[in-house]
């Protein structure tokens, strides 16, 4: 089937125009001011579907550069699988996901890659790729990492400067991972905190009886995150590697990134939707302190729903993030989607906040949240919106044919209704978690029609994919 999108306003990272778009054989074949469907010649037996995009915005398919789908973490497993996560992504306008592969210290990298890739193959309804986690460094690990990059086309690595004794790397491992990346010409993504300071702060807080979710943020203060960025920058400068700071949450870390760039460090910066829309008061919900302040309408331990690392910060940091997103200091907006139920999973941390599984289910709502609280409020314009949520992730991570609207590009397209009103709720979202961090929030905007490589997968805001018809593929990367 060919698809003709008529009457919409095409918006990319750099331009906007009124034009029609013709999609054939999975790619964009024509972009013109007006395309008459009667003049479109198709192969025998193929039909043309016309999408009326009048009054709508037409965007390139959105790319989430930071998700967790298959995730063994803190004694449990994330709730989504690739079928549910990719469905949620598509209905939210995201057509490509990049998942973090997180092997344990004792796991061989190649076996871990095959495990994670096997969870997505034949099950994902959207396109996908991976960042390969580095959690050890020895001769076997180096050999297998080279194979994953050169033989499997996974052109980015992931390191954790946190989670001491688990996923975290030491300085020797960090150095060699960055050297390898420099040699192979790939990007290293990094979770930036100081694991030793976190471990000591957590021990002190628990020993003093501070055990609730509201103490998660004080155990990992902003300066701890900034130190992680500075540490990464020093090693990147020493090796010449290109690095990408994931889920930046605070002004302090932004300042450290700016200083590194000024010294010539090749550093990209990402933030995620929860940091731009939520603040530290959410993690205090249901705590004795909140009750004392008259904020006692939430069940006890409610704040655990909002525990992620780095933590959600005070509102002053949120405003700094928006300004950095507007001026381009922040390159990309992802989600760090890490879906755990409140009941039975987040509750594992009752009496000890360090045992709360970290993460917020968010892959479905990123685009609409950024449109509602970024574009409609005037914090960012539509070009920066497209750039941060689609174009820059595609360029930084070499996603061939993605992130833009041009003849020859993959026909990943979102026809967006900027005026549509809806309310977020766990009762209607497509993710498998029992709660939403934005329960009851009103949203303006909806991905009305979504195409994945020329096939309509969402129509009228409703998923049109069927079980057993998962056509997502491992995306080629340059």
């Amino acid at each position: 089937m060919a698809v003709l999108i008529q009457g919409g306003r095409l918006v990319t990272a750099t331009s906007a125009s009124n034009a029609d778009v013709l999609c054939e054989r999975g790619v964009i074949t024509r972009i013109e001011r007006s395309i008459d469907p009667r003049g479109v010649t198709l192969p025998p037996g193929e039909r043309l579907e016309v999408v009326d995009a009048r009054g709508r915005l037409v965007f390139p398919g959105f790319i989430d550069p930071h998700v967790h789908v298959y995730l063994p973490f803190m004694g449990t497993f994330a709730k989504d699988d690739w079928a549910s996560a990719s469905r949620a992504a598509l209905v939210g306008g995201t057509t490509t996901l990049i998942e973090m592969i997180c092997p344990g210290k004792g796991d061989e990298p190649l076996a871990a890659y095959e495990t994670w890739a096997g969870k997505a193959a034949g099950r994902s309804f959207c396109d996908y790729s991976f960042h390969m986690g580095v959690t050890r460094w020895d001769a076997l690990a180096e050999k297998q990492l080279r194979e994953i990059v050169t033989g499997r086309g996974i052109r980015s690595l992931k390191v954790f400067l946190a989670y001491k004794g688990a996923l975290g790397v030491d300085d020797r491992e960090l150095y060699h991972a960055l050297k390898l990346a420099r040699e192979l010409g790939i990007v290293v993504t990094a979770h930036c905190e100081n694991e030793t300071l976190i471990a000591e702060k957590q021990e002190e807080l628990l020993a003093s009886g501070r055990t609730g979710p509201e103490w998660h943020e004080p155990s990992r203060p902003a300066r701890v995150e900034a130190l992680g960025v500075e540490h990464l920058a020093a090693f990147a400068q020493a090796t010449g590697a290109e690095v990408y700071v994931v889920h930046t949450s605070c002004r302090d870390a932004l300042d450290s990134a700016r200083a590194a760039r000024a010294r010539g460090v090749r550093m990209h910066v990402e933030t995620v939707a929860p940091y731009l829309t939520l603040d530290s008061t959410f993690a205090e919900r249901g705590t004795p302190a909140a009750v004392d302040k008259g904020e006692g309408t939430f069940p006890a331990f409610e704040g655990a729903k909002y525990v992620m690392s780095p933590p959600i910060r005070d509102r002053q940091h949120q405003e700094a993030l928006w300004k950095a997103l507007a001026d381009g200091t922040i390159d990309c907006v992802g989600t760090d989607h890490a879906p755990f139920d409140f009941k039975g999973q987040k509750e594992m941390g009752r009496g000890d906040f360090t045992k709360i599984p970290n993460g917020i289910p968010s892959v479905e709502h990123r685009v609409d949240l950024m449109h509602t609280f970024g574009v409609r409020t005037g914090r960012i314009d539509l070009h920066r919106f497209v750039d941060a949520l689609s174009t820059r992730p595609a360029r930084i991570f070499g996603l061939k044919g993605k992130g833009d609207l041009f003849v020859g590009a993959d026909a990943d397209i979102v026809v967006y209704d900027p005026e549509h009103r809806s309310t977020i709720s766990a009762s209607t979202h497509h993710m498998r978690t029992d709660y939403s961090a934005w329960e009851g929030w009103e949203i303006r905007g909806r991905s009305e029609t979504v195409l994945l490589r020329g096939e309509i997968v969402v129509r009228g805001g409703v998923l049109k994919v069927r079980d057993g018809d998962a056509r997502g593929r491992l995306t080629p990367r340059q």
Side-chain angles (χ1 to χ4, degrees), residues 186-205:
I186 63 173
V187 183
V188 176
T189 69
H191 176 133
C192 292
E193 293 181 286
N194 184 289
E195 61 177 18
T196 302
L197 280 173
I198 292 169
E200 295 302 317
K201 289 289 290 182
Q202 287 177 339
E203 185 177 339
E204 289 174 4
L205 288 165

Side-chain angles (χ1 to χ4, degrees), residues 174-255:
L174 175 62
Y175 178 72
H176 285 287
L178 290 172
K179 277 190 66 178
L180 179 65
R182 177 70 176 93
E183 176 193 336
L184 299 177
I186 63 173
V187 183
V188 176
T189 69
H191 176 133
C192 292
E193 293 181 286
N194 184 289
E195 61 177 18
T196 302
L197 280 173
I198 292 169
E200 295 302 317
K201 289 289 290 182
Q202 287 177 339
E203 185 177 339
E204 289 174 4
L205 288 165
L206 292 175
S208 64
R210 296 174 173 89
T211 62
E214 72 272 27
W215 297 105
H216 175 70
E217 196 281 336
S219 77
R220 316 170 87 102
R223 188 60 195 146
V224 167
E225 185 180 343
L227 284 172
V229 175
E230 292 162 15
H231 196 79
L232 175 69
F235 278 72
Q237 190 164 19
T239 59
E242 181 179 2
V243 293
Y244 177 100
V245 180
V246 302
H247 52 39
T248 304
S249 75
C250 62
R251 177 188 288 114
D252 306 57
L254 288 171
D255 289 343

Side-chain angles (χ1 to χ4, degrees), residues 54 111 166 254 281 292 474:
R54 287 175 297 178
L254 288 171
T281 61
D292 289 344
L474 182 64

Side-chain angles (χ1 to χ4, degrees), residues 231-473:
H231 196 79
L232 175 69
F235 278 72
Q237 190 164 19
T239 59
E242 181 179 2
V243 293
Y244 177 100
V245 180
V246 302
H247 52 39
T248 304
S249 75
C250 62
R251 177 188 288 114
D252 306 57
L254 288 171
D255 289 343
S256 295
R258 290 186 180 102
R261 286 172 169 173
R263 299 197 307 272
V265 176
R266 295 189 295 162
M267 177 177 284
H268 307 285
V269 178
E270 169 198 279
T271 193
V272 295
Y275 299 143
L276 291 165
T277 54
L278 304 168
D279 62 61
S280 56
T281 61
F282 286 83
E284 298 168 3
R285 288 182 169 183
T287 67
V291 172
D292 289 344
K293 290 189 291 184
E295 300 170 358
T297 58
F298 299 100
F301 201 62
E302 180 87 355
K305 295 177 178 179
Y306 302 91
V307 167
M308 61 183 294
S309 294
I312 297 169
R313 307 290 187 188
D314 181 83
R315 189 175 293 274
Q316 62 171 313
H317 293 288
Q318 184 183 102
E319 293 306 316
L321 293 174
W322 277 114
K323 290 177 182 176
L325 178 60
D327 68 24
T329 299
I330 291 174
D331 295 279
C332 306
V333 177
T335 57
D336 193 13
H337 175 72
F340 297 98
D341 277 344
F342 177 64
K343 293 181 179 179
Q345 290 190 303
K346 292 282 188 176
E347 289 180 327
M348 292 164 59
R350 285 188 184 271
D352 182 349
F353 67 86
T354 68
K355 292 185 171 63
I356 300 171
N358 286 199
I360 292 177
S362 46
V363 73
E364 186 166 344
H365 302 303
R366 174 185 63 131
V367 172
D368 294 340
L369 288 167
M370 293 303 98
H371 181 261
T372 301
F373 300 104
V375 175
R376 293 193 69 92
T377 61
R379 287 174 164 136
I380 57 174
D381 64 23
L382 280 171
H383 302 297
R384 187 78 265 270
F385 172 73
V386 173
D387 192 28
L389 275 68
S390 183
T391 306
R392 283 207 207 183
R395 290 177 179 169
I396 291 169
F397 297 114
L399 296 169
K400 187 177 180 181
K402 308 289 189 186
D404 205 349
L405 298 173
F406 59 88
V407 172
D410 285 359
D412 297 349
I413 299 175
V414 174
V415 179
Y416 197 82
D417 179 358
E419 300 301 329
H420 186 271
R421 293 178 181 267
S422 61
T423 301
I424 294 176
S425 175
S427 65
T428 55
H429 70 202
H430 295 76
M431 301 173 289
R432 286 185 173 169
T433 52
D434 63 2
Y435 80 97
S436 170
W438 299 274
E439 184 71 34
W441 287 34
E442 184 177 282
I443 294 299
R444 292 290 297 276
R446 179 181 73 166
S447 297
E448 185 173 85
T449 304
V450 179
L451 280 70
L452 175 66
R453 284 181 279 111
E455 179 179 332
I456 295 176
V457 289
V458 173
R459 183 185 283 111
V462 178
L463 276 168
K464 294 301 176 181
V465 297
R466 299 172 296 178
D467 291 342
D469 190 28
R471 66 187 301 267
R473 70 179 183 187

Side-chain angles (χ1 to χ4, degrees), residues 67-258:
V67 301
H68 300 275
V69 180
Y70 172 65
L71 181 61
F73 188 57
M74 300 181 78
T76 189
F77 288 84
K79 289 291 290 187
D80 275 325
D81 60 14
W82 268 95
S84 62
S86 61
R87 282 184 167 109
L90 288 175
V91 81
T94 296
T95 52
T96 305
L97 301 176
I98 311 182
E99 185 184 25
M100 301 289 182
I101 296 176
C102 300
K105 281 285 189 184
D107 295 339
E108 292 188 11
L110 196 52
Y113 171 78
E114 296 295 350
T115 295
W116 261 261
K119 300 289 183 180
R123 297 176 177 87
S124 179
F125 291 90
C126 69
D127 285 353
Y128 59 91
S129 188
F130 302 98
H131 304 296
M132 182 63 216
V134 180
T135 55
R136 55 184 268 195
W137 193 268
D138 50 47
L140 179 61
E142 179 182 357
K143 178 182 177 182
Q144 292 188 359
L145 288 168
R146 288 179 181 276
E147 166 59 23
I148 290 165
V149 173
T150 60
R152 311 303 170 92
I154 304 304
R155 302 199 56 79
S156 49
L157 304 178
K158 170 68 181 289
V159 294
F160 287 89
L161 309 186
Y163 305 117
K164 191 172 185 177
L167 298 172
V169 294
D170 61 27
D171 284 353
R172 175 184 165 275
E173 292 164 333
L174 175 62
Y175 178 72
H176 285 287
L178 290 172
K179 277 190 66 178
L180 179 65
R182 177 70 176 93
E183 176 193 336
L184 299 177
I186 63 173
V187 183
V188 176
T189 69
H191 176 133
C192 292
E193 293 181 286
N194 184 289
E195 61 177 18
T196 302
L197 280 173
I198 292 169
E200 295 302 317
K201 289 289 290 182
Q202 287 177 339
E203 185 177 339
E204 289 174 4
L205 288 165
L206 292 175
S208 64
R210 296 174 173 89
T211 62
E214 72 272 27
W215 297 105
H216 175 70
E217 196 281 336
S219 77
R220 316 170 87 102
R223 188 60 195 146
V224 167
E225 185 180 343
L227 284 172
V229 175
E230 292 162 15
H231 196 79
L232 175 69
F235 278 72
Q237 190 164 19
T239 59
E242 181 179 2
V243 293
Y244 177 100
V245 180
V246 302
H247 52 39
T248 304
S249 75
C250 62
R251 177 188 288 114
D252 306 57
L254 288 171
D255 289 343
S256 295
R258 290 186 180 102

